[in-house]
Amino acid sequence: GDSVTQTEGLVTLTEGLPVMLNCTYQSTYSPFLFWYVQHLNEAPKLLLKSFTDNKRPEHQGFHATLHKSSSSFHLQKSSAQLSDSALYYCALRVANSGTYQRFGTGTKLQVVP
Amino acid sequence: NAGVIQTPRHKVTGKGQEATLWCEPISGHSAVFWYRQTIVQGLEFLTYFRNQAPIDDSGMPKERFSAQMPNQSHSTLKIQSTQPQDSAVYLCASSLGGLGVNQDTQYFGPGTRLLVL
């Protein structure tokens, strides 16, 4: 079935270092991929979305490229900021599938001074 | 625009009692979604409606959970005979809906934190 895998539960980084959060997926059909960010005591918000192979959407300094050949949609940022500390979810939607949306287990990003 | 409104923000119930959670989507949005969030499971999709019709309830537990959307301005999630394992934050989201619903940006409400003792 369709699924999303986020391998890191917790990533701790020093401010200024690059960020990379992993997301891989399994899907029978062509998927839509999303990254959501959830700051402490807030609701999740959409960060990025992509449906096109090798296209790189960007938002707030974050970017992610959907690579259908490797079934990946890793989230990256060149320089981490303290305010980036949050929970990040990768999510998958597949048109005409039985389940509307599947989330990965989430990666908590902790940026320290 | 008030965003997605969820009430109550916190609810404490005793084991075996019923809990009803309310969601008011953003005006003009025709798609409404329910999710459950726990530390262990993360975010789980439960169900969604489009133009008030149930479209996909594949994430809903088969027993005790039900959702309705009696009009375009509110949806309810009802849990009968609540159990401690139902304790979670229940999130509602809405989106424009329409033909591009799979690509839509969803806007989440603040959630209802349910605690079953």
PDB file of all heavy atoms in Angstrom, chain B residues 43-70:
ATOM      1  N   LEU B  43       0.574  11.938  13.216  1.00  0.00           N
ATOM      2  CA  LEU B  43      -0.673  12.403  12.593  1.00  0.00           C
ATOM      3  C   LEU B  43      -1.311  11.275  11.811  1.00  0.00           C
ATOM      4  O   LEU B  43      -0.656  10.647  10.974  1.00  0.00           O
ATOM      5  CB  LEU B  43      -0.370  13.542  11.621  1.00  0.00           C
ATOM      6  CG  LEU B  43      -0.557  14.968  12.090  1.00  0.00           C
ATOM      7  CD1 LEU B  43      -0.050  15.932  11.032  1.00  0.00           C
ATOM      8  CD2 LEU B  43      -2.005  15.256  12.405  1.00  0.00           C
ATOM      9  N   GLU B  44      -2.591  11.050  12.061  1.00  0.00           N
ATOM     10  CA  GLU B  44      -3.319  10.007  11.326  1.00  0.00           C
ATOM     11  C   GLU B  44      -4.556  10.621  10.685  1.00  0.00           C
ATOM     12  O   GLU B  44      -5.323  11.304  11.364  1.00  0.00           O
ATOM     13  CB  GLU B  44      -3.806   8.917  12.275  1.00  0.00           C
ATOM     14  CG  GLU B  44      -2.749   8.179  13.046  1.00  0.00           C
ATOM     15  CD  GLU B  44      -3.423   7.241  14.036  1.00  0.00           C
ATOM     16  OE1 GLU B  44      -3.727   7.687  15.172  1.00  0.00           O
ATOM     17  OE2 GLU B  44      -3.669   6.067  13.680  1.00  0.00           O
ATOM     18  N   PHE B  45      -4.743  10.347   9.407  1.00  0.00           N
ATOM     19  CA  PHE B  45      -5.964  10.758   8.722  1.00  0.00           C
ATOM     20  C   PHE B  45      -7.128   9.901   9.202  1.00  0.00           C
ATOM     21  O   PHE B  45      -6.996   8.687   9.328  1.00  0.00           O
ATOM     22  CB  PHE B  45      -5.762  10.590   7.213  1.00  0.00           C
ATOM     23  CG  PHE B  45      -7.028  10.647   6.405  1.00  0.00           C
ATOM     24  CD1 PHE B  45      -7.626  11.859   6.132  1.00  0.00           C
ATOM     25  CD2 PHE B  45      -7.603   9.488   5.921  1.00  0.00           C
ATOM     26  CE1 PHE B  45      -8.798  11.907   5.385  1.00  0.00           C
ATOM     27  CE2 PHE B  45      -8.768   9.525   5.178  1.00  0.00           C
ATOM     28  CZ  PHE B  45      -9.362  10.735   4.910  1.00  0.00           C
ATOM     29  N   LEU B  46      -8.245  10.535   9.471  1.00  0.00           N
ATOM     30  CA  LEU B  46      -9.439   9.787   9.874  1.00  0.00           C
ATOM     31  C   LEU B  46     -10.479   9.741   8.764  1.00  0.00           C
ATOM     32  O   LEU B  46     -10.866   8.679   8.294  1.00  0.00           O
ATOM     33  CB  LEU B  46     -10.055  10.408  11.137  1.00  0.00           C
ATOM     34  CG  LEU B  46      -9.219  10.354  12.411  1.00  0.00           C
ATOM     35  CD1 LEU B  46      -9.927  11.077  13.537  1.00  0.00           C
ATOM     36  CD2 LEU B  46      -8.908   8.921  12.797  1.00  0.00           C
ATOM     37  N   THR B  47     -10.939  10.934   8.330  1.00  0.00           N
ATOM     38  CA  THR B  47     -12.030  10.954   7.366  1.00  0.00           C
ATOM     39  C   THR B  47     -12.103  12.311   6.684  1.00  0.00           C
ATOM     40  O   THR B  47     -11.517  13.277   7.172  1.00  0.00           O
ATOM     41  CB  THR B  47     -13.377  10.669   8.074  1.00  0.00           C
ATOM     42  OG1 THR B  47     -14.417  10.534   7.116  1.00  0.00           O
ATOM     43  CG2 THR B  47     -13.746  11.772   9.062  1.00  0.00           C
ATOM     44  N   TYR B  48     -12.824  12.374   5.529  1.00  0.00           N
ATOM     45  CA  TYR B  48     -13.057  13.687   4.955  1.00  0.00           C
ATOM     46  C   TYR B  48     -14.368  13.770   4.195  1.00  0.00           C
ATOM     47  O   TYR B  48     -14.911  12.757   3.730  1.00  0.00           O
ATOM     48  CB  TYR B  48     -11.852  14.168   4.153  1.00  0.00           C
ATOM     49  CG  TYR B  48     -11.844  14.016   2.651  1.00  0.00           C
ATOM     50  CD1 TYR B  48     -12.336  15.025   1.825  1.00  0.00           C
ATOM     51  CD2 TYR B  48     -11.241  12.913   2.055  1.00  0.00           C
ATOM     52  CE1 TYR B  48     -12.244  14.921   0.448  1.00  0.00           C
ATOM     53  CE2 TYR B  48     -11.145  12.805   0.679  1.00  0.00           C
ATOM     54  CZ  TYR B  48     -11.643  13.815  -0.118  1.00  0.00           C
ATOM     55  OH  TYR B  48     -11.547  13.717  -1.485  1.00  0.00           O
ATOM     56  N   PHE B  49     -14.860  14.992   4.119  1.00  0.00           N
ATOM     57  CA  PHE B  49     -16.114  15.316   3.457  1.00  0.00           C
ATOM     58  C   PHE B  49     -15.826  16.320   2.344  1.00  0.00           C
ATOM     59  O   PHE B  49     -14.939  17.163   2.456  1.00  0.00           O
ATOM     60  CB  PHE B  49     -17.102  15.991   4.438  1.00  0.00           C
ATOM     61  CG  PHE B  49     -17.517  15.121   5.579  1.00  0.00           C
ATOM     62  CD1 PHE B  49     -16.733  15.030   6.721  1.00  0.00           C
ATOM     63  CD2 PHE B  49     -18.699  14.403   5.522  1.00  0.00           C
ATOM     64  CE1 PHE B  49     -17.114  14.228   7.785  1.00  0.00           C
ATOM     65  CE2 PHE B  49     -19.100  13.598   6.585  1.00  0.00           C
ATOM     66  CZ  PHE B  49     -18.293  13.515   7.717  1.00  0.00           C
ATOM     67  N   ARG B  50     -16.604  16.211   1.289  1.00  0.00           N
ATOM     68  CA  ARG B  50     -16.567  17.250   0.265  1.00  0.00           C
ATOM     69  C   ARG B  50     -18.000  17.601  -0.072  1.00  0.00           C
ATOM     70  O   ARG B  50     -18.815  16.715  -0.363  1.00  0.00           O
ATOM     71  CB  ARG B  50     -15.809  16.784  -0.978  1.00  0.00           C
ATOM     72  CG  ARG B  50     -15.385  17.939  -1.867  1.00  0.00           C
ATOM     73  CD  ARG B  50     -14.267  17.538  -2.791  1.00  0.00           C
ATOM     74  NE  ARG B  50     -14.777  16.911  -4.008  1.00  0.00           N
ATOM     75  CZ  ARG B  50     -14.055  16.122  -4.790  1.00  0.00           C
ATOM     76  NH1 ARG B  50     -12.824  15.817  -4.462  1.00  0.00           N
ATOM     77  NH2 ARG B  50     -14.571  15.608  -5.879  1.00  0.00           N
ATOM     78  N   ASN B  51     -18.276  18.894  -0.020  1.00  0.00           N
ATOM     79  CA  ASN B  51     -19.662  19.357  -0.205  1.00  0.00           C
ATOM     80  C   ASN B  51     -20.620  18.580   0.697  1.00  0.00           C
ATOM     81  O   ASN B  51     -21.700  18.157   0.259  1.00  0.00           O
ATOM     82  CB  ASN B  51     -20.082  19.219  -1.673  1.00  0.00           C
ATOM     83  CG  ASN B  51     -19.277  20.136  -2.572  1.00  0.00           C
ATOM     84  OD1 ASN B  51     -18.990  21.281  -2.225  1.00  0.00           O
ATOM     85  ND2 ASN B  51     -18.893  19.632  -3.731  1.00  0.00           N
ATOM     86  N   GLN B  52     -20.196  18.389   1.922  1.00  0.00           N
ATOM     87  CA  GLN B  52     -20.949  17.742   3.000  1.00  0.00           C
ATOM     88  C   GLN B  52     -21.076  16.232   2.837  1.00  0.00           C
ATOM     89  O   GLN B  52     -21.585  15.560   3.745  1.00  0.00           O
ATOM     90  CB  GLN B  52     -22.352  18.360   3.136  1.00  0.00           C
ATOM     91  CG  GLN B  52     -22.330  19.841   3.502  1.00  0.00           C
ATOM     92  CD  GLN B  52     -23.725  20.429   3.431  1.00  0.00           C
ATOM     93  OE1 GLN B  52     -23.971  21.384   2.711  1.00  0.00           O
ATOM     94  NE2 GLN B  52     -24.644  19.861   4.177  1.00  0.00           N
ATOM     95  N   ALA B  53     -20.668  15.687   1.720  1.00  0.00           N
ATOM     96  CA  ALA B  53     -20.795  14.237   1.522  1.00  0.00           C
ATOM     97  C   ALA B  53     -19.534  13.531   2.009  1.00  0.00           C
ATOM     98  O   ALA B  53     -18.416  13.987   1.729  1.00  0.00           O
ATOM     99  CB  ALA B  53     -21.032  13.929   0.048  1.00  0.00           C
ATOM    100  N   PRO B  54     -19.688  12.419   2.708  1.00  0.00           N
ATOM    101  CA  PRO B  54     -18.508  11.649   3.127  1.00  0.00           C
ATOM    102  C   PRO B  54     -17.823  11.027   1.919  1.00  0.00           C
ATOM    103  O   PRO B  54     -18.476  10.378   1.100  1.00  0.00           O
ATOM    104  CB  PRO B  54     -19.101  10.581   4.059  1.00  0.00           C
ATOM    105  CG  PRO B  54     -20.529  10.451   3.646  1.00  0.00           C
ATOM    106  CD  PRO B  54     -20.953  11.779   3.112  1.00  0.00           C
ATOM    107  N   ILE B  55     -16.510  11.255   1.793  1.00  0.00           N
ATOM    108  CA  ILE B  55     -15.771  10.779   0.628  1.00  0.00           C
ATOM    109  C   ILE B  55     -14.866   9.597   0.984  1.00  0.00           C
ATOM    110  O   ILE B  55     -14.781   8.632   0.233  1.00  0.00           O
ATOM    111  CB  ILE B  55     -14.924  11.904   0.008  1.00  0.00           C
ATOM    112  CG1 ILE B  55     -15.792  13.104  -0.367  1.00  0.00           C
ATOM    113  CG2 ILE B  55     -14.139  11.390  -1.190  1.00  0.00           C
ATOM    114  CD1 ILE B  55     -16.831  12.825  -1.420  1.00  0.00           C
ATOM    115  N   ASP B  56     -14.193   9.716   2.106  1.00  0.00           N
ATOM    116  CA  ASP B  56     -13.188   8.703   2.458  1.00  0.00           C
ATOM    117  C   ASP B  56     -13.144   8.611   3.979  1.00  0.00           C
ATOM    118  O   ASP B  56     -12.765   9.573   4.627  1.00  0.00           O
ATOM    119  CB  ASP B  56     -11.829   9.130   1.887  1.00  0.00           C
ATOM    120  CG  ASP B  56     -10.704   8.150   2.201  1.00  0.00           C
ATOM    121  OD1 ASP B  56     -10.892   7.223   3.001  1.00  0.00           O
ATOM    122  OD2 ASP B  56      -9.611   8.344   1.633  1.00  0.00           O
ATOM    123  N   ASP B  57     -13.558   7.508   4.522  1.00  0.00           N
ATOM    124  CA  ASP B  57     -13.463   7.317   5.976  1.00  0.00           C
ATOM    125  C   ASP B  57     -12.548   6.146   6.301  1.00  0.00           C
ATOM    126  O   ASP B  57     -12.705   5.488   7.331  1.00  0.00           O
ATOM    127  CB  ASP B  57     -14.851   7.123   6.591  1.00  0.00           C
ATOM    128  CG  ASP B  57     -15.508   5.825   6.131  1.00  0.00           C
ATOM    129  OD1 ASP B  57     -14.934   5.126   5.261  1.00  0.00           O
ATOM    130  OD2 ASP B  57     -16.592   5.502   6.642  1.00  0.00           O
ATOM    131  N   SER B  58     -11.587   5.899   5.437  1.00  0.00           N
ATOM    132  CA  SER B  58     -10.732   4.724   5.595  1.00  0.00           C
ATOM    133  C   SER B  58      -9.874   4.757   6.846  1.00  0.00           C
ATOM    134  O   SER B  58      -9.398   3.726   7.301  1.00  0.00           O
ATOM    135  CB  SER B  58      -9.842   4.553   4.367  1.00  0.00           C
ATOM    136  OG  SER B  58      -9.087   5.721   4.150  1.00  0.00           O
ATOM    137  N   GLY B  59      -9.675   5.938   7.427  1.00  0.00           N
ATOM    138  CA  GLY B  59      -8.858   6.024   8.628  1.00  0.00           C
ATOM    139  C   GLY B  59      -9.645   5.951   9.926  1.00  0.00           C
ATOM    140  O   GLY B  59      -9.067   5.904  11.003  1.00  0.00           O
ATOM    141  N   MET B  60     -10.940   5.916   9.809  1.00  0.00           N
ATOM    142  CA  MET B  60     -11.785   5.911  11.014  1.00  0.00           C
ATOM    143  C   MET B  60     -11.798   4.515  11.651  1.00  0.00           C
ATOM    144  O   MET B  60     -12.009   3.522  10.949  1.00  0.00           O
ATOM    145  CB  MET B  60     -13.225   6.282  10.651  1.00  0.00           C
ATOM    146  CG  MET B  60     -13.401   7.726  10.296  1.00  0.00           C
ATOM    147  SD  MET B  60     -13.544   8.767  11.730  1.00  0.00           S
ATOM    148  CE  MET B  60     -15.311   8.654  11.977  1.00  0.00           C
ATOM    149  N   PRO B  61     -11.597   4.443  12.954  1.00  0.00           N
ATOM    150  CA  PRO B  61     -11.803   3.152  13.631  1.00  0.00           C
ATOM    151  C   PRO B  61     -13.226   2.672  13.349  1.00  0.00           C
ATOM    152  O   PRO B  61     -14.165   3.470  13.294  1.00  0.00           O
ATOM    153  CB  PRO B  61     -11.604   3.502  15.108  1.00  0.00           C
ATOM    154  CG  PRO B  61     -10.741   4.719  15.091  1.00  0.00           C
ATOM    155  CD  PRO B  61     -11.149   5.489  13.882  1.00  0.00           C
ATOM    156  N   LYS B  62     -13.375   1.367  13.149  1.00  0.00           N
ATOM    157  CA  LYS B  62     -14.659   0.837  12.699  1.00  0.00           C
ATOM    158  C   LYS B  62     -15.733   0.930  13.763  1.00  0.00           C
ATOM    159  O   LYS B  62     -16.921   0.997  13.457  1.00  0.00           O
ATOM    160  CB  LYS B  62     -14.508  -0.624  12.254  1.00  0.00           C
ATOM    161  CG  LYS B  62     -13.578  -0.818  11.085  1.00  0.00           C
ATOM    162  CD  LYS B  62     -14.002  -0.023   9.881  1.00  0.00           C
ATOM    163  CE  LYS B  62     -12.992  -0.162   8.752  1.00  0.00           C
ATOM    164  NZ  LYS B  62     -13.053   0.981   7.833  1.00  0.00           N
ATOM    165  N   GLU B  63     -15.318   0.920  14.998  1.00  0.00           N
ATOM    166  CA  GLU B  63     -16.310   0.978  16.084  1.00  0.00           C
ATOM    167  C   GLU B  63     -16.154   2.277  16.851  1.00  0.00           C
ATOM    168  O   GLU B  63     -15.061   2.820  16.984  1.00  0.00           O
ATOM    169  CB  GLU B  63     -16.103  -0.206  17.034  1.00  0.00           C
ATOM    170  CG  GLU B  63     -16.367  -1.545  16.376  1.00  0.00           C
ATOM    171  CD  GLU B  63     -16.101  -2.707  17.307  1.00  0.00           C
ATOM    172  OE1 GLU B  63     -15.643  -2.466  18.445  1.00  0.00           O
ATOM    173  OE2 GLU B  63     -16.342  -3.854  16.894  1.00  0.00           O
ATOM    174  N   ARG B  64     -17.249   2.767  17.347  1.00  0.00           N
ATOM    175  CA  ARG B  64     -17.340   3.880  18.294  1.00  0.00           C
ATOM    176  C   ARG B  64     -17.112   5.258  17.676  1.00  0.00           C
ATOM    177  O   ARG B  64     -17.483   6.252  18.287  1.00  0.00           O
ATOM    178  CB  ARG B  64     -16.373   3.676  19.483  1.00  0.00           C
ATOM    179  CG  ARG B  64     -16.602   2.391  20.252  1.00  0.00           C
ATOM    180  CD  ARG B  64     -15.719   2.322  21.517  1.00  0.00           C
ATOM    181  NE  ARG B  64     -14.301   2.264  21.212  1.00  0.00           N
ATOM    182  CZ  ARG B  64     -13.464   3.296  21.370  1.00  0.00           C
ATOM    183  NH1 ARG B  64     -13.933   4.461  21.818  1.00  0.00           N
ATOM    184  NH2 ARG B  64     -12.186   3.168  21.108  1.00  0.00           N
ATOM    185  N   PHE B  65     -16.466   5.350  16.519  1.00  0.00           N
ATOM    186  CA  PHE B  65     -16.177   6.650  15.899  1.00  0.00           C
ATOM    187  C   PHE B  65     -17.157   6.910  14.749  1.00  0.00           C
ATOM    188  O   PHE B  65     -17.394   6.020  13.930  1.00  0.00           O
ATOM    189  CB  PHE B  65     -14.753   6.682  15.341  1.00  0.00           C
ATOM    190  CG  PHE B  65     -13.675   6.879  16.370  1.00  0.00           C
ATOM    191  CD1 PHE B  65     -13.413   5.908  17.322  1.00  0.00           C
ATOM    192  CD2 PHE B  65     -12.923   8.047  16.386  1.00  0.00           C
ATOM    193  CE1 PHE B  65     -12.418   6.084  18.270  1.00  0.00           C
ATOM    194  CE2 PHE B  65     -11.918   8.232  17.329  1.00  0.00           C
ATOM    195  CZ  PHE B  65     -11.669   7.247  18.266  1.00  0.00           C
ATOM    196  N   SER B  66     -17.662   8.138  14.710  1.00  0.00           N
ATOM    197  CA  SER B  66     -18.496   8.530  13.575  1.00  0.00           C
ATOM    198  C   SER B  66     -18.310  10.015  13.324  1.00  0.00           C
ATOM    199  O   SER B  66     -17.974  10.771  14.233  1.00  0.00           O
ATOM    200  CB  SER B  66     -19.973   8.212  13.832  1.00  0.00           C
ATOM    201  OG  SER B  66     -20.445   8.936  14.945  1.00  0.00           O
ATOM    202  N   ALA B  67     -18.496  10.426  12.090  1.00  0.00           N
ATOM    203  CA  ALA B  67     -18.372  11.837  11.730  1.00  0.00           C
ATOM    204  C   ALA B  67     -19.535  12.217  10.840  1.00  0.00           C
ATOM    205  O   ALA B  67     -20.035  11.390  10.066  1.00  0.00           O
ATOM    206  CB  ALA B  67     -17.057  12.101  11.015  1.00  0.00           C
ATOM    207  N   GLN B  68     -19.947  13.462  10.992  1.00  0.00           N
ATOM    208  CA  GLN B  68     -21.053  13.959  10.174  1.00  0.00           C
ATOM    209  C   GLN B  68     -20.745  15.379   9.741  1.00  0.00           C
ATOM    210  O   GLN B  68     -19.955  16.086  10.367  1.00  0.00           O
ATOM    211  CB  GLN B  68     -22.351  13.956  10.998  1.00  0.00           C
ATOM    212  CG  GLN B  68     -22.852  12.582  11.346  1.00  0.00           C
ATOM    213  CD  GLN B  68     -24.186  12.646  12.067  1.00  0.00           C
ATOM    214  OE1 GLN B  68     -24.407  13.502  12.912  1.00  0.00           O
ATOM    215  NE2 GLN B  68     -25.066  11.731  11.741  1.00  0.00           N
ATOM    216  N   MET B  69     -21.429  15.775   8.671  1.00  0.00           N
ATOM    217  CA  MET B  69     -21.350  17.171   8.248  1.00  0.00           C
ATOM    218  C   MET B  69     -22.754  17.584   7.828  1.00  0.00           C
ATOM    219  O   MET B  69     -23.106  17.525   6.640  1.00  0.00           O
ATOM    220  CB  MET B  69     -20.344  17.359   7.125  1.00  0.00           C
ATOM    221  CG  MET B  69     -20.082  18.808   6.862  1.00  0.00           C
ATOM    222  SD  MET B  69     -18.537  19.103   6.024  1.00  0.00           S
ATOM    223  CE  MET B  69     -18.546  20.905   6.043  1.00  0.00           C
ATOM    224  N   PRO B  70     -23.560  17.992   8.783  1.00  0.00           N
ATOM    225  CA  PRO B  70     -24.967  18.271   8.486  1.00  0.00           C
ATOM    226  C   PRO B  70     -25.187  19.523   7.648  1.00  0.00           C
ATOM    227  O   PRO B  70     -26.218  19.646   6.984  1.00  0.00           O
ATOM    228  CB  PRO B  70     -25.588  18.443   9.884  1.00  0.00           C
ATOM    229  CG  PRO B  70     -24.446  18.787  10.776  1.00  0.00           C
ATOM    230  CD  PRO B  70     -23.240  18.118  10.202  1.00  0.00           C
TER     231      PRO B  70
END
